Amino acid sequence: MTTTWTPARVLRDRNARLYLTGVVISGFGTSALWLASGVWVKDLTGSDGLAALCMLAMWAPTLAGPLLGTLADRFRRRPLLIAASLLMAALLPALCVVDSPRGLWLLYAVLFVYGATGVVHDAAESALIATAVDRSLLGDFNGLRMTANEGMKLLAPLAGAGLYAAYGGAGVAVLDSVTFLLATVVYASLRVREDRPVRAPGGGTAEGARHLWAHPVLRPLVLAAGATMLCAGLNGALIYAVVEALGHSPAYAGVLYAVQGAGSVLVGLLSGPALRRLGERRFAAYGIALLAAAVGLRAIPNEPLAWVCSAAVGAALPAVLIAALTALQRETPPTLLGRATATANTLIYTPNVLGLATAAALADHTDHRLLLAAVACALAATATPLLTPRNPTPA
């Protein structure tokens, strides 16, 4: 039997190709603004704490994921994506007036709306992808989506930094506004037929959580993804201790992050075939196990090994995220997919912030090698249940 290279199969699908174009465009603008907003606040105030609030403002709406995701099940998804993009395109130019600490309230408010819109956008996009893209290509598409996102994280911050240096934060805000307008054109070009959403009796905000908890496939994957992201937060906060042990300045962390990003780009290209061969549970389990090994070996102060471990972290971490999203799209009724996606994202990504905060509190008082060993053990324990055959009946 002949097979076609799976990225080529995805790119031959018109809707998938357009979606990935939208991911690249919007991901470029978001990554550029993410970097520039913190630098902007730092330049205006000199405060690291106020600069860090930019990330908090963008992340905080994730906690309301189940509620915001309801919008993706109450309205047609394509018009909702268009409306969300137009809202941000209109809102971002307002940041051009921020030129002193007194205007920071406007920056934080826009970033908060940005984060909330992003939650709705991700839920609507996931739900629409499940109907607009061939189901046999979902794993490949989600892998390529990860590749596109990680690729933008490597390129966009450099472009954003250059644009900020030349034109200030206002220039980056205008750039991001333009990317939202371009994304609107992409979404408007999609060929997808959507029926008017019908609200089922008892179909409230909590239905997404109930579905995840009751489903024998989704519950272990989402829980494993949340635990993995908790450990990833702990590992990420220890990167500067690893760099110091190698004898480098803190700026060297950027090199290791670039290597990690390259690993994520690679695994995105291979995830579709791996999911078909292994299934979601084993693909996620092998990724978590590889992550455990990479995190544990980071405790050894050896530069070539540090590069290998960074690439392995980049390749391993997306596995459980891609597996969970693909299973969610395949196992969730379309009328519930917006709420289920937003709820899953809240459960998966909130622990990452908790892990970052925990490691930051412990890093100055505990040997980083002990912390890395503990994280590696926790990851190994997370992978083990996914390697056991699942009960065919719901728990």
Side-chain angles (χ1 to χ4, degrees), residues 262-277:
S264 295
V265 169
L266 177 62
V267 78
L269 298 174
L270 303 176
S271 61
L275 280 169
R276 281 188 289 274
R277 183 177 182 85

Side-chain angles (χ1 to χ4, degrees), residues 32 49 83 107 120 153 174 209 278 323 370:
L107 175 59
V120 176
K153 288 178 183 178
V174 170
L278 302 173
L370 294 178

Side-chain angles (χ1 to χ4, degrees), residues 62-352:
T62 305
L63 295 174
L67 179 62
L68 292 171
T70 303
L71 294 174
D73 291 333
R74 296 287 182 262
F75 301 94
R76 290 190 178 99
R77 278 75 182 248
R78 190 177 71 135
L80 187 60
L81 288 171
I82 293 173
S85 297
L86 288 175
L87 171 64
M88 293 312 305
L91 199 57
L92 281 165
L95 297 181
C96 291
V97 303
V98 178
D99 57 3
S100 70
R102 288 177 298 181
L104 289 184
W105 69 269
L106 178 60
L107 175 59
Y108 292 136
V110 170
L111 292 177
F112 184 84
V113 175
Y114 199 117
T117 303
V119 173
V120 176
H121 180 281
D122 288 348
E125 185 181 68
S126 176
L128 193 56
I129 286 168
T131 57
V133 175
D134 189 319
R135 290 180 64 83
S136 67
L137 297 178
L138 284 176
D140 304 281
F141 176 88
N142 290 326
L144 286 179
R145 187 176 187 272
M146 179 69 69
T147 293
N149 273 326
E150 293 301 321
M152 287 304 98
K153 288 178 183 178
L154 291 175
L155 299 176
L158 296 176
L163 190 63
Y164 178 84
Y167 301 104
V172 181
V174 170
L175 168 69
D176 201 11
S177 177
V178 171
T179 65
F180 274 109
L181 287 175
L182 293 175
T184 300
V185 175
V186 171
Y187 297 135
S189 302
L190 291 170
R191 294 174 183 170
V192 57
R193 181 177 179 179
E194 293 185 90
D195 296 326
R196 182 180 297 276
V198 177
R199 183 169 182 173
T205 298
E207 283 302 302
R210 293 192 188 100
H211 172 71
L212 293 176
W213 186 254
H215 202 288
V217 173
L218 299 180
R219 181 171 63 183
L221 281 173
V222 170
L223 291 177
T228 301
M229 291 303 291
L230 173 66
C231 293
L234 291 163
N235 172 64
L238 297 173
I239 184 66
Y240 295 105
V242 171
V243 168
E244 183 179 5
L246 292 173
H248 290 287
S249 69
Y252 190 76
V255 176
L256 296 183
Y257 276 129
V259 175
Q260 181 174 322
S264 295
V265 169
L266 177 62
V267 78
L269 298 174
L270 303 176
S271 61
L275 280 169
R276 281 188 289 274
R277 183 177 182 85
L278 302 173
E280 285 93 352
R281 285 175 67 98
R282 282 200 294 161
F283 180 56
Y286 292 161
I288 298 170
L290 176 59
L291 183 61
V295 169
L297 290 172
R298 269 187 160 175
I300 302 174
N302 177 276
E303 191 153 358
L305 181 60
W307 279 53
V308 171
C309 289
S310 291
V313 168
L317 182 57
V320 66
L321 304 178
I322 295 171
L325 177 58
T326 303
L328 186 68
Q329 291 169 330
R330 288 175 175 165
E331 302 288 339
T332 304
T335 56
L336 190 59
L337 193 47
R339 283 164 288 175
T341 298
T343 301
N345 285 342
T346 297
L347 295 173
I348 291 171
Y349 293 106
T350 299
N352 183 252

